[in-house]
Every structure is written in structure tokens, then in C-alpha cells.
Amino acid sequence: MTQDQSDFEPSEDQSRRPAYMPSSDDEPNEVANRIEEIPAADGADVLEYLPSQQAADVAEYLDPDTAGRIISEMDPAMAASVLTDMQPPEASMVLAAMAPDDAVDVLGHMQITAHDAIVREMEPDEAEEVRQLEQYPSDTAGGIMSPQVTALAEELTVHEAIEELRRLSEELEQMFYVYVVDKRQHLVGVLSMRDLILARPDRRLSQIMRLDVASVPVTMDQEQVARIMRRHGYLAMPVVDARHRLIGIVTSDDVTDVVEEEATEDLQKMFGAGAEERLLSPWYFSFSRRIGWLQVNLGTAFLAAWVMMQFEDVISALPVLAAYQSIVSGMGGNAGAQALAVAIRGMALGESGPRLLMRVLYRESIVGLLTGLAVGLTTWACSVFGIFGYHKYLGHPVLIGFIAFLALLLNHINACVTGVLIPFVMKRLGFDPAQSATIFATTFTDCGGFFATLWLAEKFMPYLR
Amino acid sequence: MTQDQSDFEPSEDQSRRPAYMPSSDDEPNEVANRIEEIPAADGADVLEYLPSQQAADVAEYLDPDTAGRIISEMDPAMAASVLTDMQPPEASMVLAAMAPDDAVDVLGHMQITAHDAIVREMEPDEAEEVRQLEQYPSDTAGGIMSPQVTALAEELTVHEAIEELRRLSEELEQMFYVYVVDKRQHLVGVLSMRDLILARPDRRLSQIMRLDVASVPVTMDQEQVARIMRRHGYLAMPVVDARHRLIGIVTSDDVTDVVEEEATEDLQKMFGAGAEERLLSPWYFSFSRRIGWLQVNLGTAFLAAWVMMQFEDVISALPVLAAYQSIVSGMGGNAGAQALAVAIRGMALGESGPRLLMRVLYRESIVGLLTGLAVGLTTWACSVFGIFGYHKYLGHPVLIGFIAFLALLLNHINACVTGVLIPFVMKRLGFDPAQSATIFATTFTDCGGFFATLWLAEKFMPYLR
């Protein structure tokens, strides 16, 4: 009667290869027949797994509706590559079968020539709809909304409204609210399906609708849309143009996509990997997204090495200091990254502002002091008990341990404070708080760690050996 | 008519302090009067901003319904602290006014004595509902579901069903689907509101309902629930107990919460910060969550330092090697973290499996080779052009630059490969892929960087100075 978990989610454990996955000698029509029988999301896995040209061959065997459902579930970049490898007339039929926002998403990942060849094959009204949607940047309300929004005229009666809903398409199934518009398509009210069911059939929508309908402008950044919807617990929100005409709807599954996308971008940007890189991106894409910040990082690494080289006499005299300074800078790097991670996620969840910053800085100073104390004492103890042995290069183990202790204390406070300051400063300067944050943070903790250890060692040098 | 963006989201720019924020000499009743007028989410900001006892005083001035709406919007840990500081009878009324899943979420953050004092004050049926929900772990379907699910008996007619829906509460507004159950509350079918509107009034639900209703067991991990709902594009999913009785519903806003929670946990776990830490966590909480992995990290830092100390003669003879080895290990650390970030996010998005691993390892080997080449050549050039100057400690700049080049090449490949392997191995061993991943990765890149630089330098030592 009802489906069991194991039935409808066969691909959950991906370490076993599902039975529907093709082998290399399957013909395209065999694969097509097989994936018609399984859920679209699983069919999408099959097409993503195949080389693009083979996937295109399979897709051409499918009827456009099925192909549309499957391709909607694929990664948009991969879907674009499959559609590019199809014949343009077939590809345009598949795109026409998809939800317009999904279709535009895929078209946005195509080369311009393939894009135009396909749009040229579309029906005029479909092509027009695509062009309408393509004018909105993909990271705005317009880029994530669906244009298929249920709008009813305010002068309709409840009875007429229900008749009208019957005429509308299957899409309505995913509808929570019915939006009410005036003659010029301005958004003027909202009704839930429940309002409609409960109202007397002869009342006009303008009499029973709620007037306090919140909407977002089509140009609003997708992150802000997501924040508003989550903050107020909205499941759907109407999107309006500059003249307050209803042009689309954003639903809470769009919000989930935004949240997930932002989380991925945050994490990858933190390390200066490109926001767009994915696990199966080709190597040249990954290389091009990573190398820039690595070269910047090389600059900061040379800076830290330069700090170290100001004390080359100290290191030459007592090479064990090179070991201790690497511990002090490494530990600082980790303590800083912890502070950074909490700060960046906190800011992603919408918390910021100067007053908050003061509270967080106070907290981090204490945490830096305490973790520095704890880690420093452990290091001191290891030094006293001769973790590197006792011989000519190792100096006075108690005193050298004390230097490491002091340096760790200072560098942990440095790490926790800069770990919080960096994303706040980046944001204030108009950058993404996460952008390459670890590279900047590591610069501070490396330079700080090297300087603290070696400067202290230089001061104490007469007593160290 | 409709609200403008700037009206209903006054607190979006948090760098300016909103007018509704209290100042220190406001009386609790003044603050209470003021926050009754503003959206619940903004009221929640006010209560979060106040010290817990003051917030509790304010909440006691509010009527329980308003207080419930505001406290539902607060961070659950902060809400728990405010309710703990209220009188138990008042607190229990506020909790009774909240959605049961939100109330249980807050109760879960309380000390056991405060929890019991409040539950004791509740009406018997409310207390029973709380106890029911509390039996489900918070990270399962049962922990995120709402028990307020619309279930209608299969023998009802469409007309009777609509009558029944009219009797049900305001909660129904957020309803997408009507679930159909048999006499023993087993989930047997589903109807959309549209199905109900379009059907003839005298038909029975059992005749018009759809039988292929997907459900999740109450014990399923919340991440898996989120993955299924996102994969299939469900806006809501019914939750059933072991006997397939309908007991709750998970909606797509719950899924957004799960996705965001997991993203925060992933990032913070990567650095060994606690998954639960937040920007305003108290210092002792932050300290307790961070210190454990820092001490582990200290152990790995000592391991790397020990590798370095195997070559203390080399460093003493040519201290500039300490600078180069810090560059080689630091760059490796960053290259590894980039690979790690992409791998961890990819796995969070549901991609894994041995076949995928081979493809990703292949990609990362190439990316490591190429970034190592690029960064290594830059370093070599810097060395030849005398970035650290030319004098007695600096050895042969061309040869020493060549050693740095080779070491960077090797360590970048090491970094990219281990950066991917670590989360895959952690997952295979049954751990969270993100758990302390950077600490393990840094161990490999530090040890690898130190060893590669110093071992090569030892081999070439006769020619270096």
C-alpha cells in the first residue's frame, strides 16, 4: 500500500552500485527503457554517471516529459553539457517540458552558441518566457523564483475562483496560497486554500482576502530572501517587480537550496577554493579556481618566513627553536581556525554588528587565554620531561619550555582575536566574510608564532644553553 | 496595502541599532508593551539581547500567546534559560502556547529540575504530549517533526472531509496535504487540497486518495530525511511509527533547518570546534568544546616537530631551511584544506562511494601536481632572485630554490590526496567525515613538508653552501 523506505530510496547507500546503473556495453535505448521505470532522481544519477555524449544519446530515446523530469534533477552544469550534445530540436522539447526556472538554470550553464541554437527551436511564447527569466541574475529573487504562481483577480467570487483553480494545471498541487491581483496585476491580497474552502461561495475574493501580504522585490539578493523567509517562517513568498506586479513565487525548497549553496561557498571560500567547485569538477576547473589564492598564500608564507629569518642566528644556535616555533604557529593556526569557523557560521546565520563584535571579542580573548594556558602548560611539561631528548642542541629544557609556554599563550590570544576580527573586517570592507579567511588568519598566527617564540628566545638566549 | 520590504524587516541591517531595542533603564513592562507591537522575530532579538533574568521579567508581562510566539523564534538554548528564570506556572503557560515540537526543543535545553518543575505545572494532556515527543532523539525524524498533522479517516466522504477540515484549528493554514488513515491510524493514502476541491462531494476518500504515499520512520536520522525530501522535491512528508501509524509531519522548512545545522556542524567540526558552539556562546562553553581537539593537535604538532628534529644538524648548518620548510608545510596545509573543503561539502551533498573516490583522487593528484608546479616555480624564482638576501646562512640560492621546488611539488600532491582521503576514510570508519579533518590533514602536510624539505637538503648538503 504505502512504500517502504528501502523501496523508494534505493540509492541511499552509494557504496553499493545500484542495479539500474548502466554497464559499458549497454545500448542507449536499453538504458533509456530502464530509467523510465525508476524515480527521476535515480535516472538523473545514471545520466550524470555516463559521459555527456552517451547521456545525450539516452536522453534522445526518452520522451521529452520523462527526459525533462530527469534532467531537472541533474546538476545544472552537467545537464547543460548533456543538452548541448543533443540535437537542438530535441533539446528544446526537453527544456520546454521542464519548469521554466529549472530550464533557465540549465541554459545559464551553456555556451552562448548552444544556448541560442536551442532557444531558436523553442515555441515563441516559451522562448519569450525564457528571455524574461534570463534577465534576472541567478543569485536574486528573480533567479530562484518560479514564474508559475497562482494569481486570481480580486473581483472573482469564491465559486468562480474554485472553478478557475479547476481549470489550472497540475502545477497547482504544489500551491499553498492563492494570491489576489487587481486589474493591472498588482499584488493586493492573499488567501490560503483553507480560506477558500471555508468561505461562502458568493463572496468576492476582495472581501475575504488578507491584505497584509508580504512580498519581496525581484532584485533582492537570494540570501536576503532566504533570511526573511526563515525568520518569519514563511513557506512561500510572492515576488513582485518594480511596479509591484506579481511575477513569481519563491518556496521554502528554494530557500533550502540557497542555504546549502551558501554553506558550500562559505566553506570553500574560506580556503580560497572556488565557490563553484564540486567533487566531480574537472581538474582544469579546480586548478584555475585554487591557484590564485595559493599564490597569494605563497606571498604570506614568505612574509612569515621573512619574520623567522630576522632571527636566523637564534635558530642556528639552537635549532630546537625551529621545532617549537612550528608548534606555536601551528597551534595558533588551529585555535584561530576554530574562532574563524564559529564567527563565519554565526555571520552566515545573520548575526553581526559592532556591539556583537565587542561581546565576541571579549569571549574569544578569554578562550584564547585559557586554551593558550592549557596547551602551553602541556608543552612546558613535555619540554621539562625531555620530549626531544637532552643533548647539546636542546638547550635548557625548563627555560625553553617556559618560552614555548609564553609564546603559545600570546599566539592563542592573537589567533582567537584575529580569527573573529578578519571576517568582521572583510564584511565591513564589503567582501564576503568567508573569502580566503584562513589564508589571512594563518598569516597572523604564523608571523605571531614565529615572532613570539624567536623574540623571546633571543632575549633569554644567554641562559638557554 | 501590501508591506514594503523596509517595513517588515526592520532589523536586516544590524549594524544600526533598531529603535525597538531596549536601553538599560527601561522597565520590564515598558519593554513588554513595545515588543507586543513588532514582529515576533524582532521581539525574539530583544529578549536574546537582554540578560536572561531581565528577559524573563519582560516575558512575564506578556500574555502567554504573545510570549510563546516570540520565544519560539529565539535560539532554543537562550529560550530555555529565559523560561528557567520565569515562575514555573507562567513558563508552563508560555510553553503550552508554543507548537509542541518547538516547546520540546526548548525543554531539551533545560536543566532537569527546571524542566520537571515546568512540566509539572502543565495540563495533563499537554504534559503527555511533551513526554511523547521527548522520547525521540532530537536528530531524528521524530525530533524535527510536528505532531500536528491533518489525518482524515478513509471512510469519510469529500463533503464530510471538508466539514471536518472546517472544524480543525488555525494550524491547518500551513497544510499542503491531507493524509488518510484507516481505523487503526495506519497511513493509507494522501490527498492534496486540490484533489479535495475538485472531487465530487459524495465520493469517499478511499476512492479518490492516492495510494503511493511516501513516508519516513520516526527513527530515521534527520539528515537522511532531509536528503530524501530534497532529492524528490517533497514539500512535506508524513512520519510513521514502527506499526506504520501516522504520528507527525516534516515540512520543508524543517529540512532547511537541518541543512543549515549540518553545514554549521561540518565547518566547526572540521577544526575541532564543537558542533553546538554559536557566536554568543559563553566562554566556558567555547573553551570546553575546543580544548580537547587542541590538545590532540598539540600531539600531532609534536610529531611534526619530531620529524624536523631528526634533521637538527641540517637546520643548524643552514637555518634558512627552517624558513623554506615552513613555506612548504604551510602551502601544503592550504592546498590540503582546499581539497578537504571540496570533499567534505561534496559528501554533505550526498556524494560518496569507492568509484567516485577513484575519480576524485585522480583529479586531486593532477591538481596537486599542477599547483605544486606553479607555486614551486614561483618559490624557486624568488630564491634565485634572493628574496632572503645573499649571505653566509643562505647557501646556494639556485640549488636551495630547487629543493624548495621539489619539496613543494611532493607536498602539494601529498596534500591534495590526503585532503580527499581523510574524509572518505573517516566516513568508512563510521565517523563524521568532517570531524577534526583539518587537524589530521595538517599532520600529513606538516610532516610531509618538513620531511621533504629537510631530507632533500640533507642529500644535497655538500653542494648547498
Side-chain angles (χ1 to χ4, degrees):
Chain A
M1 196 67 107
T2 54
Q3 288 178 308
D4 188 352
Q5 180 47 33
S6 52
D7 289 343
F8 77 88
E9 190 63 8
S11 57
E12 199 55 36
D13 179 2
Q14 303 206 356
S15 55
R16 280 170 303 164
R17 185 178 162 190
Y20 53 76
M21 276 297 181
S23 58
S24 55
D25 51 352
D26 282 344
E27 292 296 320
N29 59 336
E30 292 171 10
V31 180
N33 289 339
R34 216 176 308 136
I35 65 179
E36 271 172 3
E37 311 291 321
I38 59 177
D42 296 331
D45 281 349
V46 173
L47 293 194
E48 287 186 355
Y49 172 89
L50 291 171
S52 172
Q53 183 58 59
Q54 265 175 266
D57 293 343
V58 171
E60 288 185 0
Y61 273 101
L62 296 166
D63 73 282
D65 283 346
T66 310
R69 270 189 296 111
I70 292 173
I71 288 177
S72 298
E73 299 290 328
M74 288 176 70
D75 176 81
M78 290 189 171
S81 140
V82 171
L83 285 165
T84 304
D85 286 340
M86 291 173 71
Q87 299 298 322
E90 267 81 22
S92 79
M93 283 196 292
V94 171
L95 280 171
M98 292 166 63
D101 49 332
D102 290 341
V104 168
D105 213 16
V106 173
L107 282 166
H109 284 81
M110 285 188 188
Q111 305 283 339
I112 188 73
T113 49
H115 171 282
D116 291 351
I118 291 174
V119 172
R120 213 176 299 124
E121 295 286 338
M122 289 180 146
E123 303 288 326
D125 55 329
E126 285 163 4
E128 178 55 31
E129 193 170 38
V130 163
R131 265 189 288 271
Q132 282 284 335
L133 280 177
E134 280 183 338
Q135 59 180 307
Y136 309 121
S138 64
D139 59 350
T140 62
I144 58 172
M145 74 179 186
S146 162
Q148 292 170 329
V149 52
T150 321
L152 297 176
E154 58 179 340
E155 70 272 14
L156 292 183
T157 64
V158 169
H159 178 75
E160 288 165 339
I162 290 178
E163 285 300 304
E164 176 71 21
L165 290 179
R166 283 183 205 207
R167 272 195 296 277
L168 292 173
S169 74
E170 269 292 319
E171 292 301 327
L172 284 186
E173 195 189 327
Q174 298 223 344
M175 168 187 58
F176 325 94
Y177 303 112
V178 176
Y179 297 104
V180 184
V181 292
D182 67 13
K183 287 198 179 59
R184 288 168 304 164
Q185 296 295 313
H186 293 159
L187 177 66
V188 293
V190 65
L191 287 165
S192 69
M193 290 302 275
R194 177 172 170 274
D195 295 333
L196 218 48
I197 291 181
L198 303 193
R200 287 212 321 272
D202 57 338
R203 303 264 288 169
R204 293 201 182 278
L205 298 191
S206 54
Q207 295 173 298
I208 61 164
M209 70 189 183
R210 287 177 242 182
L211 301 176
D212 58 338
V213 47
S215 62
V216 290
V218 67
T219 51
M220 184 183 273
D221 184 84
Q222 63 173 359
E223 279 185 75
Q224 206 186 343
V225 176
R227 208 143 49 219
I228 292 170
M229 287 182 63
R230 300 202 61 206
R231 186 171 171 84
H232 296 277
Y234 298 140
L235 293 166
M237 238 182 147
V239 180
V240 294
D241 67 9
R243 297 194 210 157
H244 214 271
R245 288 178 304 202
L246 179 65
I247 56 171
I249 184 171
V250 174
T251 49
S252 64
D253 51 331
D254 300 322
V255 171
T256 309
D257 292 342
V258 171
V259 166
E260 186 152 280
E261 196 182 309
E262 298 297 335
T264 299
E265 292 185 1
D266 269 6
L267 179 56
Q268 297 185 182
K269 276 189 194 160
M270 262 184 84
F271 301 105
E276 311 83 11
E277 207 190 315
R278 292 297 174 269
L279 206 43
L280 284 174
S281 299
W283 62 263
Y284 46 86
F285 186 86
S286 299
F287 174 75
S288 69
R289 298 304 145 127
R290 294 187 196 176
I291 188 62
W293 282 109
L294 283 176
Q295 295 281 18
V296 173
N297 190 29
L298 184 61
T300 66
F302 267 110
L303 177 66
W306 178 84
V307 170
M308 190 193 301
M309 279 299 96
Q310 304 314 302
F311 301 93
E312 54 192 352
D313 298 331
V314 180
I315 296 173
S316 178
L318 208 54
V320 75
L321 287 171
Y324 280 106
Q325 75 176 358
S326 89
I327 292 171
V328 173
S329 62
M331 291 307 296
N334 251 283
Q338 291 181 337
L340 202 57
V342 175
I344 286 178
R345 281 310 295 172
M347 294 173 77
L349 303 180
E351 301 174 39
S352 69
R355 197 185 170 90
L356 180 78
L357 177 59
M358 293 316 296
R359 283 169 70 175
V360 178
L361 280 178
Y362 169 77
R363 194 263 314 268
E364 289 297 341
S365 311
I366 296 177
V367 173
L369 178 76
L370 291 177
T371 56
L373 263 177
V375 165
L377 287 174
T378 315
T379 306
W380 194 356
C382 291
S383 178
V384 171
F385 289 106
I387 195 161
F388 293 126
Y390 301 95
H391 59 88
K392 69 176 168 106
Y393 287 123
L394 296 174
H396 189 304
V398 176
L399 196 49
I400 225 165
F402 178 66
I403 287 174
F405 164 75
L406 274 186
L408 278 166
L409 194 59
L410 294 173
N411 206 31
H412 269 242
I413 298 175
N414 168 35
C416 288
V417 168
T418 52
V420 167
L421 272 179
I422 286 168
F424 273 83
V425 169
M426 290 296 274
K427 186 172 181 183
R428 177 50 66 105
L429 296 178
F431 295 100
D432 189 308
Q435 184 62 62
S436 308
T438 53
I439 290 174
F440 298 123
T442 312
T443 308
F444 280 94
T445 51
D446 275 0
C447 292
F450 295 156
F451 183 81
T453 314
L454 296 175
W455 182 79
L456 285 168
E458 198 178 53
K459 297 292 139 198
F460 284 96
M461 192 49 93
Y463 315 102
L464 282 180
R465 351 201 255 163
Chain B
M1 195 68 106
T2 53
Q3 288 178 310
D4 188 352
Q5 180 47 32
S6 52
D7 290 343
F8 78 87
E9 190 61 10
S11 58
E12 198 54 35
D13 179 1
Q14 302 205 358
S15 54
R16 281 169 303 162
R17 185 177 162 192
Y20 53 75
M21 276 297 179
S23 58
S24 54
D25 50 352
D26 283 344
E27 291 296 320
N29 58 336
E30 291 170 11
V31 180
N33 288 339
R34 214 176 311 137
I35 67 178
E36 269 173 4
E37 310 291 320
I38 59 177
D42 296 330
D45 282 350
V46 173
L47 293 194
E48 288 185 355
Y49 172 87
L50 291 172
S52 174
Q53 182 58 57
Q54 265 175 267
D57 293 343
V58 172
E60 288 184 0
Y61 272 100
L62 296 166
D63 72 282
D65 282 347
T66 310
R69 271 189 295 113
I70 291 174
I71 287 175
S72 299
E73 298 290 328
M74 288 177 71
D75 176 80
M78 289 188 172
S81 141
V82 171
L83 285 165
T84 303
D85 286 339
M86 291 172 70
Q87 299 298 324
E90 267 82 20
S92 79
M93 282 196 292
V94 171
L95 281 170
M98 292 167 63
D101 48 334
D102 290 340
V104 168
D105 213 16
V106 172
L107 281 167
H109 284 82
M110 284 186 189
Q111 305 282 342
I112 188 73
T113 49
H115 171 282
D116 291 352
I118 291 174
V119 173
R120 213 176 297 123
E121 295 287 338
M122 289 180 146
E123 303 289 324
D125 56 330
E126 285 163 4
E128 178 56 29
E129 193 170 37
V130 163
R131 267 189 288 269
Q132 281 286 333
L133 281 176
E134 280 183 338
Q135 62 181 307
Y136 308 120
S138 63
D139 60 349
T140 62
I144 58 172
M145 73 180 188
S146 162
Q148 292 169 329
V149 52
T150 321
L152 296 175
E154 58 180 340
E155 69 273 15
L156 294 183
T157 64
V158 169
H159 178 76
E160 288 165 341
I162 290 179
E163 286 298 307
E164 176 71 21
L165 290 179
R166 282 183 204 205
R167 270 195 297 276
L168 292 173
S169 74
E170 268 293 320
E171 292 300 325
L172 283 185
E173 195 189 329
Q174 299 224 344
M175 166 187 58
F176 327 94
Y177 303 113
V178 175
Y179 297 104
V180 183
V181 292
D182 68 12
K183 289 200 177 57
R184 287 168 305 163
Q185 295 294 312
H186 294 159
L187 177 65
V188 293
V190 65
L191 287 165
S192 68
M193 289 303 274
R194 177 173 170 274
D195 295 332
L196 218 48
I197 291 180
L198 303 193
R200 286 211 323 270
D202 59 337
R203 302 265 285 170
R204 294 204 182 274
L205 299 190
S206 55
Q207 294 173 298
I208 61 164
M209 70 189 183
R210 288 176 240 182
L211 300 176
D212 57 338
V213 47
S215 62
V216 291
V218 67
T219 51
M220 184 183 273
D221 183 85
Q222 63 172 0
E223 278 186 76
Q224 208 185 342
V225 177
R227 208 143 49 221
I228 292 170
M229 287 182 62
R230 301 202 61 205
R231 187 173 170 81
H232 296 276
Y234 298 140
L235 292 168
M237 238 181 145
V239 179
V240 295
D241 67 10
R243 297 194 210 160
H244 214 271
R245 288 179 303 202
L246 179 65
I247 55 171
I249 185 171
V250 175
T251 50
S252 64
D253 52 330
D254 300 322
V255 170
T256 309
D257 292 342
V258 171
V259 166
E260 186 153 280
E261 196 182 310
E262 297 298 335
T264 299
E265 291 185 1
D266 269 6
L267 179 56
Q268 296 184 181
K269 275 189 194 160
M270 264 184 83
F271 300 105
E276 312 83 12
E277 207 190 315
R278 291 299 174 267
L279 206 41
L280 284 175
S281 300
W283 61 263
Y284 45 86
F285 186 85
S286 299
F287 174 75
S288 69
R289 298 303 145 126
R290 295 187 195 176
I291 188 61
W293 281 109
L294 283 177
Q295 295 281 17
V296 173
N297 189 29
L298 185 62
T300 66
F302 267 110
L303 177 67
W306 178 85
V307 170
M308 191 194 298
M309 280 298 97
Q310 303 314 301
F311 300 94
E312 53 191 354
D313 298 331
V314 180
I315 296 174
S316 178
L318 208 54
V320 76
L321 287 171
Y324 280 106
Q325 74 176 358
S326 90
I327 293 171
V328 173
S329 62
M331 291 306 296
N334 251 283
Q338 292 181 337
L340 201 57
V342 175
I344 285 177
R345 281 310 295 171
M347 294 173 78
L349 303 180
E351 300 174 39
S352 70
R355 195 183 171 91
L356 180 78
L357 177 59
M358 294 315 296
R359 285 169 70 174
V360 178
L361 280 179
Y362 169 78
R363 195 263 314 268
E364 290 296 341
S365 312
I366 296 178
V367 173
L369 179 75
L370 291 177
T371 57
L373 263 176
V375 166
L377 286 173
T378 313
T379 306
W380 195 356
C382 290
S383 177
V384 170
F385 290 106
I387 195 160
F388 294 126
Y390 301 96
H391 60 87
K392 67 174 170 109
Y393 287 124
L394 297 173
H396 189 305
V398 176
L399 196 49
I400 225 165
F402 179 67
I403 286 174
F405 164 75
L406 275 185
L408 277 166
L409 195 60
L410 295 173
N411 204 32
H412 269 243
I413 299 174
N414 167 35
C416 288
V417 169
T418 52
V420 167
L421 273 179
I422 286 167
F424 273 83
V425 169
M426 289 296 274
K427 184 173 181 180
R428 177 50 66 104
L429 296 179
F431 295 101
D432 189 308
Q435 185 62 62
S436 309
T438 55
I439 289 173
F440 298 123
T442 310
T443 308
F444 280 94
T445 53
D446 275 359
C447 292
F450 296 156
F451 183 81
T453 314
L454 296 174
W455 182 80
L456 284 168
E458 195 177 57
K459 296 294 139 196
F460 285 97
M461 193 48 94
Y463 316 101
L464 281 182
R465 0 200 247 163

